[in-house]
Amino acid sequence: MGTADDPPSPFLGSDPDPPEFESSKSVCPFCGVGCGIEHANGDKATGWKGSVNQRGEVCPKGVAAFEPVRHEKRLVRPLVRESGTHVVAPWEEALERIEAGVREVVDEHGPESVAFFASSSCTNEENYLVQKIARALGTNNVDNCARLCHSSTVAAMVERFGAGAMTNTLEDVGEADAFLVCGANPAEQHPIAFQSYLSPAVDDGTTLIHVDPRENATTAEADVHLPVTPGYDIPLLNAMAKVVVEEELVDEAFLDERAEGRAAFEAHLEDVDVEANAREAGVDPDDLRAAARAYGEADRAAAFTGMGMSQHHCGTDNVHALINLAVLTGNVGKPGTGINPLRGQNNVQGANDVGARPGDLPGYDPVTDADARDRCAEVWGFEPPAEPGRTQVEWARSVGDDGVRAAVVFGENPAVTEPNANEVADALADLDFLAVIDLFETETAELADVVLPGSSWAEKAGTVTNTDRRVQRMRPSADPPGEARRDLEILQEVGRRLTGPDLAFDYDGPADVFAELTEVTPIYGGMSYGEIGEGYQRWPFPAGAESGTDVLHEGEFASGDRRTELAPVDHVPPADDLADDQLVLTTGRVLQHFNSGALTRRSGTLMRLRGEDVVQLHPDDADARGIEDGDEVRLSNERGAVTVAAEVTPSITRGTVFTTFHYAEPLINVLTGDALDPVAKIPEYKHSAVTVERV
Ligand code: SF4
């Protein structure tokens, strides 16, 4: 038992009388599908009939979403670092330290020495304020975790189409005759999208082609499985394009009206040998031809892309190769078609839309665009800087003399989620000043000078934008516990302190912030917080629209052009050379967990559902190393080593091993490399050379 003289605990503890949750119609805090959930009883959630989960269906993560909210290790008081350890401090002292810590670095080294990490699991309004604070300070060093998951997808889609988002909607893709799912496992990672939209279409006859090195729950419903070797998507997709051209499956009318560069593209394909490319990609040439035919012959074919495509140092080119297939076959700009990135966190789309990007202002206009800067300046009262800032991965590797010296990390955990994690932890520890706003003392928060206890999803109001561009409203079910504060209020206070009294950070709640962000974010122009209600508004939102634009690029692309280029792309070898005895490590999510696990590893239900951490290994690769199912194995490379149990299974393709990235222990990202895509600066998470040995 504590005494009256003991310092107060920073944690919520085992509250014998936890506050009651109200039942409010909110949005699931996990994946980008955006299911409507509300409190049920105890610490369980249930679905309400939302705009996505129209029958009120939810997956196990959604059901468990309240469990971490009142976890005993939830932070409820600010922490400051004293003599190397965290101690509880009053809010005023913690905020003063942030003000002094950041200001000191700015005064001495300039605004470019500060970086902000916004949060893809927080609201549009909160992310909008984070980017506004950074820009008011004089830096574009603001990014969000899309840098680590889909920045390459966005880069390729913006270049080719003018919009970096799902071209279609979850509803209309059901009209497709073929689905091409590349580097994604929606049956486990976007379960309600799969079971409510994709799977029923497959049951009705839509052909499902699954490109993935692993047989998983999505493969179980597939007609064709192409078990691609990680890093070889371009040879595979180029070979599919060659089959489409050879077998005259192109859409002549679409190419005439909407595409440029056909001659150069077909000339590039002349050097493509379908059989050789298939073997290079690790797939059966006949299966590849069958997949190309199914996609090319379909009246309407919808492609889906996930992190298996995007998280490579050629991720942008991977997506260009996929877009080529869609353009060749005329599968853009009509229902049941398109390129549809399946976004990870519940607001990763929105965090990008509202400008938490170092190169773009709200609405994706580049910071170099003087008109866009003027548009912001009229509303903000200051002009944002014109030079693009550092991306998340770049600033974390620039810590020191001419790089970043202070950082504010809002609801993210880069010590676990970034590649080459040992180096990242060292870099974060070397910062002159680090402030973290979070629910828990995460691995990143442990390194911070100040930690502010923020609000969980269940305690906040605001908007989030799901994977098919629909903006929905979250509603609080409770107040933050203890001394924890709502994130929007924290950011307003931090904004006031860091940027001075002249700039307006005095908003009257999320509706007020939303009204401002619609003024500077053209794709959100015309939306109304009040009118979203329990429904949604989808961007772009033309004047007078009822719910926004469903299918993008009809008639003309979002870029304003009627045509797009076919873009020849060549294979880019993976960054890690593979020694003879090494295997390729690739990573992914499982149904019961989410990203760094900051929430899901604090859910008793999900932890019970989770199996032991395993690495999947093909029987031939296991035999060659004397490894049996259940053995402890050591995965290592020049960046680090982890020990994990082996699951010997033919469901993983030969030469590749698979494990999840959800845990700080074992921390798989000590093995992943930080070679960056030259355009999108996304790291190569999905191909790491590792030595695998029995312990
Ligand atoms: Fe939440 Fe995604 Fe599951 Fe829906 S599918 S309940 S949004 S985790």
Side-chain angles (χ1 to χ4, degrees):
M1 289 285 287
T3 70
D5 294 332
D6 286 342
S9 166
F11 304 117
L12 181 57
S14 304
D15 189 336
D17 189 19
E20 294 289 312
F21 289 109
E22 290 173 12
S23 201
S24 303
K25 289 182 173 172
S26 195
V27 180
C28 176
F30 293 114
C31 86
V33 174
C35 297
I37 64 169
E38 62 184 333
H39 185 251
N41 48 55
D43 54 11
K44 293 287 182 281
T46 187
W48 55 278
K49 292 179 180 172
S51 75
V52 180
N53 55 331
Q54 294 172 7
R55 298 185 305 274
E57 63 273 40
V58 283
C59 81
K61 283 194 288 288
V63 172
F66 280 95
E67 290 187 20
V69 170
R70 294 290 179 260
H71 191 276
E72 61 181 1
K73 286 293 187 184
R74 170 88 187 264
L75 287 172
V76 293
R77 292 186 177 83
L79 296 170
V80 298
R81 186 169 295 283
E82 285 292 350
S83 306
T85 58
H86 279 158
V87 297
V88 169
W91 270 94
E92 183 59 26
E93 181 186 339
L95 289 164
E96 278 175 6
R97 287 200 189 203
I98 292 177
E99 184 176 348
V102 173
R103 286 247 58 107
E104 203 171 293
V105 168
V106 171
D107 291 346
E108 210 168 312
H109 303 282
E112 297 304 332
S113 55
V114 179
F116 291 77
F117 198 173
S119 176
S120 307
S121 56
C122 291
T123 66
N124 288 321
E125 295 72 25
E126 291 156 357
N127 282 294
Y128 174 78
L129 288 197
V130 173
Q131 63 84 35
K132 186 174 170 184
I133 294 169
R135 289 173 166 136
L137 260 186
T139 179
N140 283 313
N141 289 343
V142 58
D143 210 352
N144 73 91
C145 80
R147 183 66 47 202
L148 308 175
C149 63
H150 266 298
S151 56
S152 46
T153 316
V154 173
M157 294 184 72
V158 167
E159 184 181 337
R160 301 287 287 283
F161 298 155
M166 210 164 144
T167 56
N168 287 61
T169 69
L170 290 171
E171 285 92 346
D172 80 69
V173 291
E175 297 179 31
D177 304 302
F179 292 144
L180 172 60
V181 179
C182 295
N185 174 15
E188 287 190 79
Q189 295 161 353
H190 299 84
I192 299 305
F194 190 79
Q195 80 183 45
S196 301
Y197 298 96
L198 274 68
S199 186
V202 172
D203 289 344
D204 283 347
T206 301
T207 302
L208 173 57
I209 304 154
H210 193 210
V211 181
D212 197 294
R214 223 163 52 101
E215 275 178 34
N216 50 45
T218 302
T219 326
E221 296 205 26
D223 299 277
V224 185
H225 178 214
L226 300 179
V228 64
T229 300
Y232 289 81
D233 301 281
I234 292 172
L236 185 149
L237 293 165
N238 279 350
M240 287 180 69
K242 175 86 178 239
V243 174
V244 164
V245 171
E246 271 181 354
E247 303 195 8
E248 299 181 352
L249 301 175
V250 298
D251 184 330
E252 296 288 350
F254 187 87
L255 288 179
D256 283 349
E257 291 173 23
R258 307 288 308 272
E260 305 272 10
R262 179 175 180 178
F265 185 76
E266 292 192 357
H268 180 261
L269 287 183
E270 281 173 16
D271 291 335
V272 171
D273 177 324
V274 173
E275 275 63 32
N277 274 32
R279 282 191 292 276
E280 185 181 22
V283 306
D284 184 306
D286 291 339
D287 289 346
L288 185 146
R289 284 186 181 277
R293 272 182 212 119
Y295 182 84
E297 287 173 354
D299 280 344
R300 293 175 185 230
F304 299 86
T305 180
M307 294 194 294
M309 286 273 284
S310 60
Q311 288 184 324
H312 290 276
H313 77 144
C314 54
T316 304
D317 280 350
N318 283 349
V319 178
H320 278 305
L322 184 63
I323 292 172
N324 287 337
L325 270 180
V327 174
L328 270 183
T329 53
N331 279 305
V332 188
K334 55 190 180 191
T337 68
I339 301 291
N340 298 292
L342 294 163
R343 305 305 296 258
Q345 294 193 213
N346 75 333
N347 197 35
V348 67
Q349 183 66 55
N352 285 274
D353 296 345
V354 301
R357 296 166 58 79
D360 297 325
L361 295 166
Y364 299 96
D365 286 322
V367 295
T368 50
D369 179 335
D371 291 342
R373 291 199 307 277
D374 284 349
R375 183 181 73 227
C376 292
E378 271 182 33
V379 176
W380 292 348
F382 66 90
E383 183 168 325
E387 279 294 305
R390 285 186 161 99
T391 67
Q392 166 58 27
V393 186
E394 285 176 323
W395 78 246
R397 281 149 186 80
S398 77
V399 172
D401 292 341
D402 296 326
V404 164
R405 289 171 168 266
V408 178
V409 175
F410 171 51
E412 294 287 351
N413 190 8
V416 170
T417 57
E418 284 212 17
N420 205 351
N422 285 333
E423 286 199 0
V424 174
D426 290 346
L428 294 173
D430 282 348
L431 286 164
D432 293 358
F433 182 77
L434 173 61
V436 168
I437 304 167
D438 214 311
L439 303 182
F440 298 102
E441 206 172 9
T442 64
E443 292 71 17
T444 303
E446 283 172 9
L447 302 169
D449 298 286
V450 178
V451 186
L452 300 180
S455 47
S456 79
W457 73 275
E459 296 141 5
K460 60 175 67 175
T463 61
V464 286
T465 308
N466 86 334
T467 195
D468 69 358
R469 299 175 276 113
R470 71 185 91 189
V471 180
Q472 304 184 96
R473 276 175 57 182
M474 302 186 79
R475 293 174 178 78
S477 301
D479 291 327
E483 295 179 25
R485 293 185 183 176
R486 289 207 160 90
D487 291 338
L488 198 71
E489 292 160 20
I490 295 172
L491 292 168
Q492 286 179 247
E493 183 62 30
V494 169
R496 274 191 287 266
R497 287 172 182 259
L498 293 186
T499 64
D502 297 338
L503 297 178
F505 279 95
D506 295 322
Y507 298 95
D508 187 15
D512 200 16
V513 181
F514 188 79
E516 181 181 301
L517 79 82
T518 62
E519 286 185 60
V520 294
T521 311
I523 52 177
Y524 283 50
M527 289 186 186
S528 155
Y529 193 86
E531 287 173 16
I532 292 171
E534 292 178 4
Y536 67 93
Q537 292 181 337
R538 177 181 274 127
W539 71 254
F541 193 77
E546 193 175 322
S547 60
T549 308
D550 291 344
V551 178
L552 296 179
H553 318 307
E554 285 181 287
E556 69 175 22
F557 292 99
S559 58
D561 296 330
R562 182 154 171 72
R563 294 170 179 271
T564 185
E565 287 274 340
L566 282 160
V569 284
D570 289 315
H571 173 53
V572 180
D576 271 10
D577 288 331
L578 204 61
D580 282 346
D581 61 340
Q582 286 189 307
L583 300 172
V584 177
L585 167 68
T586 197
T587 60
R589 289 199 293 264
V590 292
L591 172 64
Q592 299 84 0
H593 280 288
F594 203 69
N595 289 5
S596 82
L599 293 182
T600 52
R601 60 184 140 112
R602 292 173 173 96
S603 153
T605 304
L606 294 175
M607 290 302 277
R608 277 193 298 280
L609 288 174
R610 151 201 169 200
E612 288 305 306
D613 303 318
V614 294
V615 61
Q616 292 188 326
L617 183 71
H618 191 276
D620 293 351
D621 294 324
D623 280 353
R625 290 163 180 76
I627 295 168
E628 294 188 2
D629 195 57
D631 282 350
E632 289 285 295
V633 295
R634 183 173 187 270
L635 313 183
S636 63
N637 59 21
E638 73 278 11
R639 295 181 285 267
V642 301
T643 300
V644 62
E647 179 190 342
V648 178
T649 169
S651 65
I652 184 76
T653 194
R654 274 182 203 80
T656 297
V657 296
F658 168 88
T659 190
T660 68
F661 50 62
H662 297 303
Y663 307 105
E665 181 56 48
L667 181 51
I668 292 302
N669 276 329
V670 301
L671 298 167
T672 49
D674 45 12
L676 299 184
D677 178 287
V679 179
K681 309 290 172 66
I682 195 169
E684 174 132 295
Y685 283 104
K686 290 294 191 266
H687 182 289
S688 307
V690 289
T691 299
V692 181
E693 306 159 293
R694 191 154 71 99
V695 175

